[in-house]
Amino acid sequence: MSSILAAGRLDVNALDYSILALYFAIVVVIGVLARRAIATSEDFFLSGRSLPAWVTGLAFISANLGALEILGMAANGAQYGIPTVHFYWIGAVPAMVFLGLVMMPFYYGSRVHSVPEYLRRRFNAPTHLFNALTFAVASVLTAGINLYALALVLRSLLGWPIPLAVAVGAGFVLAYITLGGLSGAIYTEVLQFFVIVAGLVPVVIVGLVSVGGWSGLQAKVESTVPNGDRLFSAWAGAQAGHWTNPLGDWIGIVMGLGFVLSFGYWTTNFAEVQRALSAKDLSAAQRTPLIGAYPKIFIPALTIIPGLVAIAVVPNLGKDGGPTYNDAIPELMGRFLPNGVLGIALTGLLAAFMAGMAANVSSFNTVFTYDIWRPYIRPGRSDRHYLNVGRTITVVGIVIGIGTAFIAAGYSNIMVYVQLLFSFFNAPLFATFIIAMFWKRTTPWAGLAGLVAGTVGAGVMHLASYHIGYFYPGGNASNHAEINAQMANFYSAIVAFVADAVVTVLVTLVTKPKPIEELRGLVWGVPDPDAPDAAQAKKPRTWWENPKILGFGALALTAVLSIVFL
Amino acid sequence: MTQTGNRTRDPADRSSTLFDLRYLIGGLFTLYGVVLAVVGLFDSDAELAKAAGIRINLWVGLGMLVVGLVFLAWARLRPLKHEPADAEADAER
């Protein structure tokens, strides 16, 4: 990772810096205003459950639209082309709709503070602790990726060395999370969403025009890359047995990415679910991921197209001696954007970094405080004590994130690393949740055993995949650098899911289930008669507030686009 | 965007209006949009050539201006209601 921007440092002037400075001034204003609204730990961690759906919905998508997502998906776009849409249309939208329509009533209606807390009430304390710990580890690892992604941007902007850029970026995030808590983070995320889009649109427009439109892009890429036509078809070469699609066969894409990884991430990752839990009522909580799904459908245009343009116009992208795939967007910014929009694009990228890292850190401090510190380390203290713990642990999380940023620096395509983390930490969770929610007999100890089995299964499969010829483009497992890492990750996720599911069922059959009274509101078919939201959620006030219409609308739109880009 | 707060007179209302995120988004985008559009009108030939001949500052500026004005209009026409807990909580502190 020692590449330097081929186009040289970005040509930034006073106008661009003013645009950037104004944005950060607004972020500070939001932090200060949010701080005035914080009186209790619930205000700090869940925004007092008071936010309207359009705010939590855009924050939901923005929390995922970190610099990691933008740089990483552009890297995928450059490396894999159009098949990258699978990460959006297969790998996100269906799961977001499922979260909103099916799972949100359990989360929001049971008034839990976090995803691990759901596991404590559904299963037992050991399951809860295991999940809280793995989530905490995953959060700081992911925070490190976002920090590293920022450092890449700062390096191309100012020529700073990566370590300095990492430290300064960490300082920014620290300032605004400790200032504003989750409200500050969520409000800022909504603002970020619009700035990120405004910054990426000019890159796409100028990039496309400069290569002669869509057909010109296709012709240029095909003349640059061997078998370049593969990059323009989402499903070509995805047959099982003898795949040539850059993402491997359809089993990995549909089952590994689309089912296990996607549902695992979107429905159980607390950094996402937390945004919905801070909505003002159940209906708003359900609409949170559904409102987020619509922008998600169109974001690939802002990430994959720049990746493809970069392949066409940046010499040696992704090759030895050239810039890495991760540099695709900064390269295009340097080439195409005049001062002014350059400042907007830069602000968008830096904002995106803040969005991603702040989401990781704010969910990390919630889980640490509510799910590790309060139940197991210092129970029964005052609310003020936990609020202070939350603020302190934010600092600790960011410091650890600085360390993990250097792990991320070891991967040339950061999305590969991200999917690896997800296959370890998120894939097993989804198996446990889906069985727990729909099979009320599932026993407390089955929860723990299933999660452990799933995580171990993913680990074993990850190590084994390097020795299986099927995961290599030529079928030959001799050179480990040639492995199709994404495909191997998809299969690791499938193994994690199956291991978790099998062990959960087996252990359930030999252990004692929870009494049904303790499961009210937590499992399908056992409603909680005291749940305050049940009646209200059934009556949407207008048709556009109806979660079902929103959800199926998103699915239909995705289906149409999938056919267009088949 | 402190000037957006001056639109309401009642001091109890002021913080909730300030904290109506739509004013912040609308104000920021309006300002960015105006600046970019003006810069775009005076872009040099070299800058035009860099952006494949498109007056990109002007077009992006106009787009951001429209988004900004839509947010300001939305906030103005549908102000925060005072029954929901969020408006109340913000106003009290």
mmCIF file of all heavy atoms in Angstrom, chain A residues 163-186:
data_model
loop_
_atom_site.group_PDB
_atom_site.id
_atom_site.type_symbol
_atom_site.label_atom_id
_atom_site.label_comp_id
_atom_site.label_asym_id
_atom_site.label_seq_id
_atom_site.Cartn_x
_atom_site.Cartn_y
_atom_site.Cartn_z
ATOM 1 N N PRO A 163 -0.033 7.425 9.005
ATOM 2 C CA PRO A 163 -0.220 7.472 10.469
ATOM 3 C C PRO A 163 -0.722 8.829 10.971
ATOM 4 O O PRO A 163 -1.612 8.899 11.818
ATOM 5 C CB PRO A 163 1.188 7.178 11.013
ATOM 6 C CG PRO A 163 1.870 6.440 9.923
ATOM 7 C CD PRO A 163 1.327 7.006 8.650
ATOM 8 N N LEU A 164 -0.192 9.925 10.421
ATOM 9 C CA LEU A 164 -0.638 11.250 10.840
ATOM 10 C C LEU A 164 -2.111 11.448 10.468
ATOM 11 O O LEU A 164 -2.923 11.916 11.272
ATOM 12 C CB LEU A 164 0.225 12.324 10.177
ATOM 13 C CG LEU A 164 -0.192 13.766 10.479
ATOM 14 C CD1 LEU A 164 -0.017 14.082 11.960
ATOM 15 C CD2 LEU A 164 0.608 14.760 9.637
ATOM 16 N N ALA A 165 -2.468 11.047 9.244
ATOM 17 C CA ALA A 165 -3.847 11.205 8.786
ATOM 18 C C ALA A 165 -4.805 10.404 9.667
ATOM 19 O O ALA A 165 -5.897 10.863 9.997
ATOM 20 C CB ALA A 165 -3.962 10.754 7.325
ATOM 21 N N VAL A 166 -4.388 9.214 10.076
ATOM 22 C CA VAL A 166 -5.222 8.389 10.947
ATOM 23 C C VAL A 166 -5.456 9.094 12.280
ATOM 24 O O VAL A 166 -6.584 9.179 12.779
ATOM 25 C CB VAL A 166 -4.558 7.006 11.171
ATOM 26 C CG1 VAL A 166 -5.171 6.295 12.364
ATOM 27 C CG2 VAL A 166 -4.690 6.143 9.921
ATOM 28 N N ALA A 167 -4.399 9.653 12.863
ATOM 29 C CA ALA A 167 -4.524 10.287 14.176
ATOM 30 C C ALA A 167 -5.432 11.518 14.111
ATOM 31 O O ALA A 167 -6.306 11.715 14.964
ATOM 32 C CB ALA A 167 -3.142 10.665 14.704
ATOM 33 N N VAL A 168 -5.261 12.348 13.082
ATOM 34 C CA VAL A 168 -6.076 13.557 12.976
ATOM 35 C C VAL A 168 -7.548 13.200 12.758
ATOM 36 O O VAL A 168 -8.457 13.755 13.387
ATOM 37 C CB VAL A 168 -5.561 14.452 11.826
ATOM 38 C CG1 VAL A 168 -6.514 15.601 11.566
ATOM 39 C CG2 VAL A 168 -4.175 14.980 12.175
ATOM 40 N N GLY A 169 -7.787 12.216 11.884
ATOM 41 C CA GLY A 169 -9.165 11.788 11.638
ATOM 42 C C GLY A 169 -9.827 11.285 12.902
ATOM 43 O O GLY A 169 -10.992 11.601 13.185
ATOM 44 N N ALA A 170 -9.096 10.526 13.702
ATOM 45 C CA ALA A 170 -9.642 10.011 14.948
ATOM 46 C C ALA A 170 -10.037 11.160 15.867
ATOM 47 O O ALA A 170 -11.070 11.112 16.538
ATOM 48 C CB ALA A 170 -8.621 9.101 15.629
ATOM 49 N N GLY A 171 -9.245 12.222 15.881
ATOM 50 C CA GLY A 171 -9.554 13.387 16.710
ATOM 51 C C GLY A 171 -10.896 14.014 16.332
ATOM 52 O O GLY A 171 -11.707 14.347 17.194
ATOM 53 N N PHE A 172 -11.148 14.137 15.028
ATOM 54 C CA PHE A 172 -12.418 14.694 14.552
ATOM 55 C C PHE A 172 -13.608 13.903 15.077
ATOM 56 O O PHE A 172 -14.565 14.448 15.618
ATOM 57 C CB PHE A 172 -12.474 14.646 13.020
ATOM 58 C CG PHE A 172 -11.965 15.893 12.354
ATOM 59 C CD1 PHE A 172 -10.907 15.826 11.468
ATOM 60 C CD2 PHE A 172 -12.562 17.108 12.614
ATOM 61 C CE1 PHE A 172 -10.437 16.962 10.841
ATOM 62 C CE2 PHE A 172 -12.108 18.249 11.987
ATOM 63 C CZ PHE A 172 -11.032 18.177 11.098
ATOM 64 N N VAL A 173 -13.556 12.580 14.883
ATOM 65 C CA VAL A 173 -14.686 11.743 15.271
ATOM 66 C C VAL A 173 -14.912 11.824 16.768
ATOM 67 O O VAL A 173 -16.045 11.961 17.245
ATOM 68 C CB VAL A 173 -14.440 10.283 14.862
ATOM 69 C CG1 VAL A 173 -15.581 9.406 15.321
ATOM 70 C CG2 VAL A 173 -14.290 10.195 13.369
ATOM 71 N N LEU A 174 -13.832 11.782 17.507
ATOM 72 C CA LEU A 174 -13.923 11.861 18.957
ATOM 73 C C LEU A 174 -14.658 13.124 19.361
ATOM 74 O O LEU A 174 -15.584 13.099 20.173
ATOM 75 C CB LEU A 174 -12.513 11.856 19.549
ATOM 76 C CG LEU A 174 -12.460 11.968 21.064
ATOM 77 C CD1 LEU A 174 -13.122 10.743 21.668
ATOM 78 C CD2 LEU A 174 -11.029 12.075 21.539
ATOM 79 N N ALA A 175 -14.257 14.242 18.784
ATOM 80 C CA ALA A 175 -14.846 15.522 19.168
ATOM 81 C C ALA A 175 -16.350 15.484 18.969
ATOM 82 O O ALA A 175 -17.114 15.866 19.838
ATOM 83 C CB ALA A 175 -14.222 16.649 18.354
ATOM 84 N N TYR A 176 -16.783 14.970 17.837
ATOM 85 C CA TYR A 176 -18.206 15.163 17.635
ATOM 86 C C TYR A 176 -19.102 14.095 18.223
ATOM 87 O O TYR A 176 -20.246 14.385 18.556
ATOM 88 C CB TYR A 176 -18.493 15.542 16.182
ATOM 89 C CG TYR A 176 -19.097 14.544 15.284
ATOM 90 C CD1 TYR A 176 -20.423 14.689 14.885
ATOM 91 C CD2 TYR A 176 -18.357 13.495 14.804
ATOM 92 C CE1 TYR A 176 -20.976 13.803 14.001
ATOM 93 C CE2 TYR A 176 -18.909 12.615 13.923
ATOM 94 C CZ TYR A 176 -20.215 12.762 13.524
ATOM 95 O OH TYR A 176 -20.750 11.883 12.655
ATOM 96 N N ILE A 177 -18.584 12.910 18.498
ATOM 97 C CA ILE A 177 -19.429 11.943 19.217
ATOM 98 C C ILE A 177 -19.523 12.302 20.694
ATOM 99 O O ILE A 177 -20.600 12.264 21.275
ATOM 100 C CB ILE A 177 -18.906 10.506 19.096
ATOM 101 C CG1 ILE A 177 -18.894 10.110 17.639
ATOM 102 C CG2 ILE A 177 -19.809 9.547 19.856
ATOM 103 C CD1 ILE A 177 -18.481 8.697 17.440
ATOM 104 N N THR A 178 -18.405 12.652 21.315
ATOM 105 C CA THR A 178 -18.491 12.990 22.734
ATOM 106 C C THR A 178 -19.313 14.261 22.925
ATOM 107 O O THR A 178 -20.007 14.418 23.909
ATOM 108 C CB THR A 178 -17.097 13.173 23.376
ATOM 109 O OG1 THR A 178 -16.322 13.998 22.526
ATOM 110 C CG2 THR A 178 -16.407 11.860 23.560
ATOM 111 N N LEU A 179 -19.259 15.158 21.960
ATOM 112 C CA LEU A 179 -20.068 16.369 22.075
ATOM 113 C C LEU A 179 -21.556 16.056 21.977
ATOM 114 O O LEU A 179 -22.342 16.494 22.810
ATOM 115 C CB LEU A 179 -19.705 17.352 20.961
ATOM 116 C CG LEU A 179 -18.577 18.325 21.240
ATOM 117 C CD1 LEU A 179 -18.319 19.167 20.015
ATOM 118 C CD2 LEU A 179 -18.937 19.205 22.429
ATOM 119 N N GLY A 180 -21.947 15.329 20.951
ATOM 120 C CA GLY A 180 -23.372 15.243 20.659
ATOM 121 C C GLY A 180 -24.046 13.917 20.921
ATOM 122 O O GLY A 180 -25.259 13.830 20.832
ATOM 123 N N GLY A 181 -23.307 12.845 21.231
ATOM 124 C CA GLY A 181 -23.958 11.550 21.428
ATOM 125 C C GLY A 181 -24.629 11.073 20.159
ATOM 126 O O GLY A 181 -24.322 11.532 19.053
ATOM 127 N N LEU A 182 -25.600 10.178 20.301
ATOM 128 C CA LEU A 182 -26.213 9.588 19.122
ATOM 129 C C LEU A 182 -27.051 10.584 18.327
ATOM 130 O O LEU A 182 -27.062 10.547 17.105
ATOM 131 C CB LEU A 182 -27.063 8.382 19.520
ATOM 132 C CG LEU A 182 -27.619 7.592 18.331
ATOM 133 C CD1 LEU A 182 -26.506 6.992 17.507
ATOM 134 C CD2 LEU A 182 -28.562 6.520 18.795
ATOM 135 N N SER A 183 -27.748 11.508 19.013
ATOM 136 C CA SER A 183 -28.529 12.501 18.265
ATOM 137 C C SER A 183 -27.627 13.282 17.342
ATOM 138 O O SER A 183 -27.936 13.490 16.172
ATOM 139 C CB SER A 183 -29.211 13.491 19.209
ATOM 140 O OG SER A 183 -30.240 12.876 19.892
ATOM 141 N N GLY A 184 -26.498 13.718 17.879
ATOM 142 C CA GLY A 184 -25.545 14.459 17.057
ATOM 143 C C GLY A 184 -25.098 13.624 15.884
ATOM 144 O O GLY A 184 -25.094 14.079 14.738
ATOM 145 N N ALA A 185 -24.770 12.359 16.167
ATOM 146 C CA ALA A 185 -24.297 11.481 15.098
ATOM 147 C C ALA A 185 -25.381 11.292 14.047
ATOM 148 O O ALA A 185 -25.126 11.377 12.849
ATOM 149 C CB ALA A 185 -23.866 10.130 15.677
ATOM 150 N N ILE A 186 -26.613 11.054 14.481
ATOM 151 C CA ILE A 186 -27.691 10.770 13.523
ATOM 152 C C ILE A 186 -28.031 12.007 12.699
ATOM 153 O O ILE A 186 -28.169 11.930 11.474
ATOM 154 C CB ILE A 186 -28.930 10.230 14.264
ATOM 155 C CG1 ILE A 186 -28.663 8.792 14.698
ATOM 156 C CG2 ILE A 186 -30.163 10.292 13.379
ATOM 157 C CD1 ILE A 186 -29.830 8.099 15.327
#
